[in-house]
Amino acid sequence: QVQLVESGGGLVQPGGSLTLSCAASGSILRPYVMGWFRQAPGKQRELVAHITSGGSTNYADSVKGRFTISRDNAKNTVYLQMNSLKSEDTAIYHCNTVPLRRSYWGQGTQVTVSS
């Protein structure tokens, strides 16, 4: 059974930075495309970034140039570096495979961008 545990969220002022981590247990992440998803209240879930097993990345237009996804296969962990945060980045962030596997869904981590 794969378990994904997200961490690193919090309250940050506009323009600030946060780094999210997603640690996996129960299986290795190496073969999978991994992504960071977010969902704000009243909005649809959005895939903000994903990374292939080989390290190729892709980003939603809303975060391009501000967010960086990376992975450390040895640590079985995926990261999301978020810079120049905006109020519209406020959401619960989850990591998962792409396409997502509902059985892997974790608790997520809350990111709140507010002054």
Side-chain angles (χ1 to χ4, degrees):
Q1 175 109 15
V2 174
Q3 184 175 17
L4 298 173
V5 179
E6 301 93 346
S7 62
L11 173 64
V12 63
Q13 292 187 341
S17 298
L18 284 173
T19 300
L20 307 184
S21 298
C22 169
S25 61
S27 180
I28 60 172
L29 297 180
R30 189 189 306 270
Y32 298 110
V33 176
M34 295 298 299
W36 282 96
F37 300 79
R38 70 183 180 187
Q39 188 162 19
K43 294 188 177 181
Q44 285 193 327
R45 183 170 54 226
E46 176 186 21
L47 173 62
V48 298
H50 69 263
I51 184 168
T52 68
S53 58
S56 297
T57 59
N58 203 356
Y59 299 92
D61 287 344
S62 57
V63 306
K64 201 170 292 184
R66 300 188 297 122
F67 289 12
T68 302
I69 188 171
S70 61
R71 65 194 297 163
D72 185 334
N73 290 329
K75 294 184 178 180
N76 226 22
T77 302
V78 181
Y79 305 96
L80 186 68
Q81 173 69 42
M82 306 186 295
N83 298 325
S84 303
L85 283 161
K86 305 175 181 179
S87 58
E88 50 263 45
D89 295 318
T90 295
I92 298 177
Y93 285 71
H94 289 88
C95 69
N96 207 306
T97 57
V98 179
L100 68 86
R101 291 168 167 79
R102 295 195 179 277
S103 62
Y104 292 3
W105 210 240
Q107 297 280 359
T109 187
Q110 175 72 48
V111 172
T112 302
V113 184
S114 175
S115 55

